[in-house]
Amino acid sequence: MKTKFYLLTLILSLLTILSCEETFDPYGKFEEKYVLNCIVRADTNYQVALVSKSYISENLDPYSNTEDKSVQNILVRLWNGNDNVAILKDTIVERSSDDKYNSPYRIYYAENFQPIPGLPLEIEAVLPDGRVLSSATSVPAPINFLDTSSDTLIPPSKGDYIQVVWNSPQTKPVFILRLGIYYFKYEGGSKKRYIYFVPQNYVEHEGKFVPNYPKPITQSRFSFDMKTIDKAMELISAGESDKSKFEILSCIIEVIALDENLSIYYNTTANANNAFSVKLDEKDYSNIKGGYGIFGAYNRNYYVLRFKHDYIRSFGYIPGLTE
Amino acid sequence: MKNITYFFILLFIYSAVEGQNKGTLRGLVTDSTNSEALAYCNVFLKELGIGTATDSRGYFLIPSIPANQNFTLIISYIGYHTKKINIKVLPNKITHYDVQLLPSDIELQAVEKIEKLVEENKTDISIRRILSRELEYLPKGVESDLFRSLKYLSGVQSAGDVSARFYVRGGASNQNLILFDGVTLYNPFHALGLFSVIDPDIINNIEFYKGGFAANYGGRLSSVVDIKTNDGNKNKFGAKASASYLATKLFLEGPLPHGSFYLSGRKSYSTEVLKKFMNNQNIPADFYDFSFKLNYSNQDFIPGSKFIVNGFFSNDKIDNSDPTIEDFSWKNNLFGFRWFFVGDSPLFLEMGLGISNFQGEILPQLSSLNKSSNKINDISMRMDLTYIFDSKDELWVGFHINQINTHLYIENLVDEDTDIKNSGTDISLYTKYKLLRFDNFAIDAGLRFNLASVSQNKEIMFLEPRFNASYTLWNFLTLKSAWGLYQQTLTTVSDEDEIINIFEPWIVIPEYLLPAKAMHAIFGIEVANGNTWKLGVESYYKTVDNLPVLNKDKIYTTDHDFIAGEGESYGLEVNASLNTPVVDFKTSYTNAYAYKVVDGKRYYPRYDTRHSFNIIVDLKLGNNWHSSVTWVYSSGLPFTEILGYYDKLYLDNFFDSWNSRDPRRPYTLIGVQNLGRLPDYHRLDLNISKKFAFSFMNLYLDFNIINLYDRANIFYFKKETGERVNMLPFLPTISVKVEL
């Protein structure tokens, strides 16, 4: 009996030991790396760069790190062509209250640096220890909207969609776009301006219309179905009985043209896994020499479409601009 | 070349002369209760001291038996009463006997003592023959599963116990040829690869070649899983219904005029248990599989013929009710027709037509994924002819023709389409000669001629030579070896870093790459004492050239999707088994090394395990009780170490200004690929089953516990959150089967 008891105790002890979770350290040897991010906008002369460094998280969860890793005392320079150089100043930016970091973050900025489309751009960040991060790109040329091929009025005189066509001098362009309906709403005796962004289509789910916004494209044209625009017009005043509080102004299509570096970077960062696949290692794209991050440029272009007044009135709204 | 021709001519003449006044004995061994063929039975002629084994179709053939003399034929098989019959063969003719064996009680499932060990097939190496009942008694996670059971074998690796996907001797999972009654099955997995699509209840036997497979198999580099299904009960109608936590099954079988049939269907009904497989994540999987088989054998219509028509259909959906999450669907459709012929000469002829179709699709809905779809159509025709000489030597000749169409459609993130269509024909002839006339020495020398290939690259390997040899040093000890070249023209677009992979499309290896080719070299020693115990040691060395690997450096759409890599693997496998009337004991140890070289970088693939050790103890407890215990150990799998994190810029919204919110999120910096090792893996599983026999039905209760001591085996580490994800936890399951 005693032997059986000891044997059972031994087996149970063994099973308990075996079932224990072995400690596991996923870390290799930590090496400090630096990161430079700068996306130059061609539609403004205010440019921003961020410089930070890599870190390690004690509890293996990188999101538990609340210390901002921005690096101070960096000499950041931007070249536009060959002769226009800007030395970026640094400043502190307060974070929103729901940000995971406790401290504000540091940005480097230039207030009067207007990039010239088509010309090369260079950046260089000299670190306190003398190491240099650098990169080069060029600003995409502005796109030209083709009035003859594009619609100008909503709804169009023929067809059940509106189409906007442009051309771009870029060889491998990627465009990101959005369509906004600009309108006023009368609230408490004054009118406030709002924008309703029109999706590519709506998917009905459990009685609600879930918007599906346009994805980046390489084609130099885009069309919106009139049914989607109709639905967007309806949803502007969803829940409001008094439709006359809404004064509809116009539709504006914004088209952002990315440079090649930014296109690639966007592709790698947005490359989503599906909900069930488990992917362990992935490629990290960077065009920064000496570190990580991205140096790219884009420009933003606008195209205005006007509404026909009858169309606006059919929803009970008031036209805000001339046809 | 001339010398070889003379050698074969002399062999032929010698065989013809020697055959006078002798006859050939042929037989078909079946189960007396349902007339199902019994594969790999021992067949022994007592007075002559010679024997053979039935093939996977239940046939045996013993040539050169003195004519007009009485002999005692002993047929023995595990789980059946040994049968002795008196036979007499006619001179210069084939004398055919149909033998039916009566199943013994479960507690007597051991081979009764026979006079001599009968070699199943002298030149076979790296092969494991599996019977359906062996699958039944292995511990199972939810459902008994063919591919999960293969992982208990030496040389078979996995990237974790969550998936049924398997890797053989360092080869990728797409290098395994899955043949379902002779037709290629392209995607043999249900529910994210957690289970195989093939219901074990329809399987008669499986031949699993881990390497060194002969010239009659082709098209894959690593392994062959050749599945033969049951014919259906020829004696009476029967039905089986069963239910597990995951699916319900129904199996119908019965006789037809001059034949029999079976119908089998399985449908998932609950996905609750799948949460245990996927870190408590809900998997809205919905699947079914359906198969049928009809066979017809009328001696008034082409005597010696058997005609078989079979079909297999599986369908899977991951159907999220949320439009913001993508859905998936994939399906297999197989259809086969075979004509098997045994005539008045020692000849086996099998001709087959098959259609295998796979379709997979990602339906992105409103998710960030893009639409993707894949189709593969494989129409095949094959002929296999085996002639057995009086000397026992065998000549095999055959051809395989596969008309293959693949279509892959992928939209990338910027709405650009990739539309890859390929169409072509693989035509292969093969021949092999099995020199079996000597008691202690055998050779299987074959050639596979690739006359045409679906590959667009014209530099295909025209000849695939295969060579197997065995030498019996003593009656109980045999030395075996194999060498061969292998070629593969199809591949999957799969990222080996995805350890759970739903969408794995098949394509023809692009024209800018040569078809992948492999070399196997195997050497083994087998020691056996009758059927009581067996010890086998095998070492292998395998190289793979032109290995298609996804190009992770692809940046531009014009960059190639694949680059060519290399593979190398070698190892040592030790297998031991002991069979007694009450206990069957099997154990195996593998010491393996696998490498890949891509872009000049040499690394361990995700499934490279240095040491693996398995023990399976199978107990027949009497009174229809049965139990098995399995312990599995493997040293840690490779993983890529974390070198730190940095805050990466995410371009979620170009239209907002930066100042409103820091657009950066933590990103993991990783080290050299797969240089680290996860902790060791081990697990104890238990199965207890009981058969309740009633006058009108049998009831089977099957109780399983996976991971009995709840070992926390790490599956992977979520770098983004620091969460450790473990493999299968303590998981008790029960299943019920009713047999009418």
Side-chain angles (χ1 to χ4, degrees):
Chain A
M1 189 63 194
K2 236 179 186 176
T3 316
K4 281 182 184 169
F5 174 76
Y6 286 134
L7 190 66
L8 189 67
T9 311
L10 183 72
I11 290 169
L12 286 174
S13 310
L14 191 67
L15 291 182
T16 311
I17 291 165
L18 286 172
S19 67
C20 286
E21 184 173 289
E22 264 180 66
T23 53
F24 167 64
D25 181 9
Y27 286 129
K29 191 182 172 191
F30 174 70
E31 284 176 38
E32 199 167 67
K33 302 280 183 186
Y34 286 86
V35 187
L36 169 64
N37 289 304
C38 178
I39 295 179
V40 174
R41 292 177 53 174
D43 60 339
T44 173
N45 60 5
Y46 181 77
Q47 312 300 344
V48 174
L50 301 169
V51 184
S52 61
K53 62 183 178 182
S54 64
Y55 55 91
I56 204 130
S57 180
E58 291 306 319
N59 65 355
L60 304 177
D61 178 7
Y63 281 86
S64 65
N65 171 49
T66 54
E67 187 193 340
D68 185 71
K69 298 295 177 185
S70 297
V71 184
Q72 297 180 46
N73 303 321
I74 313 281
L75 175 62
V76 184
R77 286 178 289 197
L78 267 175
W79 281 268
N80 191 355
N82 292 324
D83 50 359
N84 184 9
V85 183
I87 296 175
L88 277 67
K89 301 172 195 167
D90 69 337
T91 187
I92 298 292
V93 178
E94 288 299 324
R95 294 176 182 276
S96 58
S97 57
D98 58 345
D99 203 303
K100 80 184 181 76
Y101 290 104
N102 297 328
S103 53
Y105 71 105
R106 182 173 299 275
I107 64 170
Y108 293 84
Y109 69 98
E111 285 178 305
N112 196 18
F113 186 85
Q114 182 64 54
I116 303 163
L119 284 186
L121 270 175
E122 284 180 54
I123 192 167
E124 183 183 85
V126 184
L127 303 172
D129 62 2
R131 278 189 276 176
V132 176
L133 309 176
S134 63
S135 188
T137 190
S138 61
V139 184
I143 63 174
N144 299 313
F145 290 101
L146 303 177
D147 293 337
T148 50
S149 311
S150 302
D151 288 306
T152 52
L153 268 176
I154 299 173
S157 51
K158 57 180 181 179
D160 50 7
Y161 60 90
I162 58 155
Q163 180 176 254
V164 179
V165 184
W166 60 90
N167 64 27
S168 165
Q170 268 184 273
T171 49
K172 292 176 182 172
V174 171
F175 305 107
I176 295 169
L177 57 86
R178 68 177 178 183
L179 173 68
I181 299 173
Y182 287 70
Y183 64 96
F184 287 126
K185 185 182 174 188
Y186 289 87
E187 293 172 325
S190 62
K191 61 180 183 181
K192 284 176 79 175
R193 202 191 73 163
Y194 290 94
I195 309 168
Y196 185 93
F197 292 109
V198 182
Q200 192 172 354
N201 61 321
Y202 289 96
V203 176
E204 197 172 356
H205 176 58
E206 293 175 349
K208 289 182 179 171
F209 292 93
V210 184
N212 179 24
Y213 290 103
K215 290 178 178 172
I217 54 169
T218 51
Q219 304 277 323
S220 297
R221 63 176 63 224
F222 199 83
S223 57
F224 283 89
D225 195 290
M226 271 312 297
K227 281 181 189 166
T228 307
I229 295 174
D230 292 348
K231 179 52 70 181
M233 289 287 279
E234 265 178 53
L235 291 174
I236 282 173
S237 62
E240 294 276 357
S241 54
D242 184 3
K243 308 291 181 190
S244 63
K245 288 199 291 189
F246 294 87
E247 187 180 325
I248 306 299
L249 303 171
S250 64
C251 247
I252 296 178
I253 290 184
E254 293 170 73
V255 180
I256 285 178
L258 307 183
D259 75 348
E260 202 167 306
N261 292 320
L262 212 48
S263 302
I264 297 162
Y265 186 80
Y266 176 81
N267 260 319
T268 57
T269 54
N271 198 357
N273 280 341
N274 63 60
F276 301 104
S277 290
V278 178
K279 190 171 180 177
L280 298 181
D281 303 333
E282 58 190 26
K283 185 83 185 169
D284 186 15
Y285 172 77
S286 172
N287 67 340
I288 303 293
K289 280 182 197 162
Y292 293 93
I294 177 68
F295 178 54
Y298 70 82
N299 62 37
R300 198 191 307 211
N301 309 269
Y302 301 90
Y303 184 81
V304 179
L305 290 134
R306 289 176 182 270
F307 285 106
K308 285 183 182 168
H309 286 185
D310 289 348
Y311 179 72
I312 293 172
R313 287 192 192 101
S314 69
F315 294 93
Y317 306 142
I318 300 164
L321 297 173
T322 53
E323 239 178 53
Chain B
M1 192 65 197
K2 233 178 193 178
N3 291 340
I4 295 170
T5 313
Y6 288 143
F7 175 73
F8 282 107
I9 291 169
L10 280 173
L11 274 177
F12 191 83
I13 294 166
Y14 170 75
S15 305
V17 170
E18 200 197 45
Q20 288 171 1
N21 295 320
K22 288 186 175 176
T24 299
L25 173 68
R26 187 179 64 206
L28 173 64
V29 184
T30 55
D31 182 314
S32 65
T33 59
N34 56 20
S35 297
E36 286 290 351
L38 295 178
Y40 326 129
C41 292
N42 284 314
V43 181
F44 185 67
L45 270 174
K46 187 180 173 185
E47 290 80 4
L48 296 177
I50 57 171
T52 187
T54 57
D55 65 13
S56 59
R57 298 167 293 219
Y59 277 91
F60 69 89
L61 198 137
I62 307 176
S64 297
I65 297 173
N68 298 318
Q69 291 182 37
N70 287 318
F71 295 106
T72 311
L73 184 71
I74 303 169
I75 305 104
S76 59
Y77 196 41
I78 292 173
Y80 288 82
H81 290 294
T82 296
K83 194 163 189 175
K84 294 179 183 178
I85 56 170
N86 292 321
I87 59 113
K88 186 195 275 187
V89 298
L90 299 171
N92 300 316
K93 287 202 168 182
I94 292 176
T95 309
H96 184 94
Y97 284 86
D98 281 329
V99 185
Q100 294 209 312
L101 297 186
L102 182 71
S104 58
D105 291 338
I106 195 167
E107 48 274 61
L108 293 174
Q109 283 194 1
V111 173
E112 295 176 26
K113 187 173 168 53
I114 56 171
E115 283 74 0
K116 188 182 173 185
L117 169 73
V118 176
E119 281 285 332
E120 283 175 352
N121 195 331
K122 278 182 178 175
T123 54
D124 282 344
I125 191 166
S126 300
I127 182 174
R128 178 78 162 82
R129 295 189 166 88
I130 303 164
L131 299 167
S132 59
R133 65 162 177 265
E134 291 179 60
L135 301 175
E136 206 168 306
Y137 293 129
L138 280 172
K140 33 196 167 285
V142 189
E143 293 264 312
S144 68
D145 190 289
L146 166 60
F147 298 143
R148 287 182 172 275
S149 305
L150 294 182
K151 292 183 185 178
Y152 291 118
L153 304 177
S154 61
V156 181
Q157 291 127 348
S158 80
D161 59 17
V162 170
S163 170
R165 205 172 288 273
F166 63 99
Y167 307 87
V168 182
R169 290 183 172 173
S173 65
N174 59 15
Q175 295 168 2
N176 304 322
L177 176 65
I178 314 293
L179 288 173
F180 183 84
D181 277 332
V183 183
T184 306
L185 183 57
Y186 282 92
N187 189 324
F189 299 106
H190 274 316
L192 319 184
L194 307 187
F195 305 98
S196 82
V197 289
I198 301 159
D199 178 4
D201 278 353
I202 62 173
I203 296 173
N204 182 295
N205 65 79
I206 301 142
E207 290 186 334
F208 175 43
Y209 297 84
K210 292 186 285 185
F213 39 92
N216 47 320
Y217 292 110
R220 294 291 184 277
L221 300 184
S222 268
S223 78
V224 178
V225 183
D226 192 355
I227 301 158
K228 300 278 193 309
T229 60
N230 283 318
D231 274 352
N233 198 324
K234 291 186 177 71
N235 303 346
K236 61 172 186 176
F237 289 97
K240 290 178 204 167
S242 63
S244 68
Y245 284 174
L246 180 68
T248 53
K249 293 193 285 191
L250 183 65
F251 180 83
L252 302 172
E253 60 181 343
L256 292 172
H258 304 290
S260 62
F261 78 96
Y262 83 75
L263 297 170
S264 174
R266 177 167 58 163
K267 172 84 178 77
S268 63
Y269 69 90
S270 168
T271 57
E272 196 59 31
V273 74
L274 296 183
K275 289 181 179 173
K276 298 281 184 189
F277 287 74
M278 286 290 281
N279 199 27
N280 281 324
Q281 186 183 1
N282 183 41
I283 306 169
D286 181 27
F287 65 80
Y288 70 77
D289 53 68
F290 171 77
S291 64
F292 74 88
K293 189 173 181 182
L294 305 167
N295 62 84
Y296 178 82
S297 177
N298 183 352
Q299 293 315 305
D300 296 332
F301 176 68
I302 314 180
S305 293
K306 182 178 175 183
F307 299 92
I308 299 157
V309 176
N310 70 311
F312 175 84
F313 312 92
S314 74
N315 195 316
D316 275 76
K317 280 182 184 165
I318 303 287
D319 197 358
N320 291 288
S321 50
D322 184 348
T324 60
I325 304 175
E326 63 282 354
D327 289 340
F328 299 86
S329 77
W330 65 98
K331 60 185 174 186
N332 289 290
N333 296 313
L334 259 76
F335 182 79
F337 168 76
R338 275 183 300 148
W339 171 43
F340 177 61
F341 174 73
V342 283
D344 292 332
S345 58
L347 186 78
F348 292 97
L349 170 70
E350 188 168 327
M351 292 195 75
L353 285 171
I355 299 170
S356 179
N357 166 262
F358 165 71
Q359 290 178 49
E361 197 174 10
I362 296 176
L363 305 161
Q365 302 201 88
L366 302 182
S367 73
S368 55
L369 289 189
N370 285 60
K371 187 174 168 55
S372 303
S373 65
N374 177 228
K375 281 182 193 171
I376 180 161
N377 276 305
D378 178 348
I379 300 170
S380 61
M381 187 165 84
R382 58 186 298 148
M383 192 273 288
D384 300 280
L385 194 146
T386 310
Y387 184 83
I388 301 174
F389 296 97
D390 287 343
S391 61
K392 292 208 296 187
D393 292 355
E394 296 176 10
L395 177 67
W396 294 49
V397 179
F399 67 81
H400 298 166
I401 301 172
N402 291 68
Q403 166 64 35
I404 296 169
N405 298 301
T406 61
H407 181 201
L408 174 65
Y409 174 82
I410 294 177
E411 276 177 12
N412 71 7
L413 287 165
V414 288
D415 269 357
E416 282 183 339
D417 301 347
T418 302
D419 205 0
I420 306 169
K421 285 181 182 171
N422 270 301
S423 180
T425 309
D426 275 338
I427 302 175
S428 302
L429 295 179
Y430 77 87
T431 180
K432 66 175 187 175
Y433 193 86
K434 291 177 90 169
L435 185 77
L436 301 170
R437 66 183 59 203
F438 304 111
D439 285 342
N440 61 347
F441 178 63
I443 288 176
D444 179 342
L447 269 178
R448 198 172 173 86
F449 305 87
N450 298 307
L451 303 180
S453 172
V454 68
S455 170
Q456 303 298 304
N457 192 310
K458 298 299 168 202
E459 291 180 50
I460 59 164
M461 188 164 61
F462 175 64
L463 280 182
E464 294 177 49
R466 316 277 171 86
F467 183 83
N468 291 18
S470 75
Y471 180 68
T472 304
L473 205 56
W474 295 291
N475 198 27
F476 60 91
L477 190 147
T478 306
L479 305 177
K480 293 189 166 189
S481 65
W483 178 87
L485 295 181
Y486 304 83
Q487 182 170 246
Q488 182 164 340
T489 51
L490 298 173
T491 189
T492 53
V493 184
S494 47
D495 186 343
E496 63 183 81
D497 288 325
E498 281 191 12
I499 47 176
I500 295 284
N501 188 331
I502 305 179
F503 186 66
E504 197 172 26
W506 281 94
I507 58 165
V508 176
I509 293 175
E511 61 185 1
Y512 52 84
L513 295 181
L514 287 167
K517 65 177 184 182
M519 185 279 295
H520 297 188
I522 304 163
F523 179 74
I525 302 171
E526 258 184 37
V527 186
N529 175 19
N531 286 291
T532 311
W533 63 267
K534 206 177 204 178
L535 174 70
V537 181
E538 262 185 35
S539 62
Y540 64 89
Y541 179 71
K542 178 160 75 180
T543 57
V544 179
D545 291 323
N546 316 323
L547 180 70
V549 181
L550 267 188
N551 181 9
K552 289 190 175 180
D553 290 326
K554 179 182 166 101
I555 292 173
Y556 306 110
T557 49
T558 48
D559 290 344
H560 286 160
D561 293 306
F562 288 93
I563 51 174
E566 291 169 24
E568 184 187 20
S569 55
Y570 50 88
L572 181 82
E573 297 166 9
V574 182
N575 293 283
S577 63
L578 174 70
N579 298 317
T580 72
V582 180
V583 180
D584 284 348
F585 176 83
K586 286 181 189 134
T587 185
S588 67
Y589 166 75
T590 309
N591 176 223
Y593 294 79
Y595 304 95
K596 277 188 181 175
V597 182
V598 178
D599 212 11
K601 291 173 191 153
R602 188 175 168 92
Y603 65 95
Y604 305 115
R606 184 75 59 192
Y607 43 83
D608 172 50
T609 314
R610 194 66 61 244
H611 304 281
S612 310
F613 182 65
N614 301 327
I615 299 174
I616 302 173
V617 181
D618 199 3
L619 293 164
K620 295 124 194 169
L621 301 168
N623 200 21
N624 289 328
W625 283 94
H626 194 282
S627 177
S628 69
V629 180
T630 306
W631 190 68
V632 183
Y633 165 86
S634 64
S635 55
L637 292 163
F639 83 99
T640 306
E641 290 174 322
I642 296 172
L643 301 183
Y645 309 95
Y646 75 87
D647 288 337
K648 187 179 179 80
L649 181 67
Y650 282 88
L651 306 169
D652 299 328
N653 192 346
F654 281 95
F655 298 98
D656 283 350
S657 78
W658 276 20
N659 289 359
S660 59
R661 179 176 286 272
D662 186 350
R664 295 171 299 173
R665 295 197 291 274
Y667 185 84
T668 310
L669 286 166
I670 54 174
V672 178
Q673 186 171 5
N674 293 342
L675 201 59
R677 289 275 166 181
L678 296 173
D680 293 351
Y681 169 94
H682 50 89
R683 200 180 88 177
L684 182 69
D685 300 339
L686 174 72
N687 164 270
I688 298 171
S689 59
K690 165 77 174 163
K691 175 183 164 187
F692 298 92
F694 302 101
S695 58
F696 61 101
M697 70 164 200
N698 293 322
L699 176 71
Y700 299 85
L701 280 180
D702 202 57
F703 177 67
N704 292 279
I705 299 177
I706 296 294
N707 201 355
L708 187 68
Y709 52 79
D710 199 20
R711 160 79 179 175
N713 290 305
I714 185 166
F715 183 25
Y716 63 95
F717 178 79
K718 271 190 186 172
K719 290 194 281 276
E720 304 79 18
T721 59
E723 186 189 355
R724 173 189 170 130
V725 178
N726 289 328
M727 296 192 209
L728 286 176
F730 173 81
L731 178 61
T733 60
I734 195 162
S735 63
V736 184
K737 183 160 83 177
V738 175
E739 186 180 63
L740 297 173

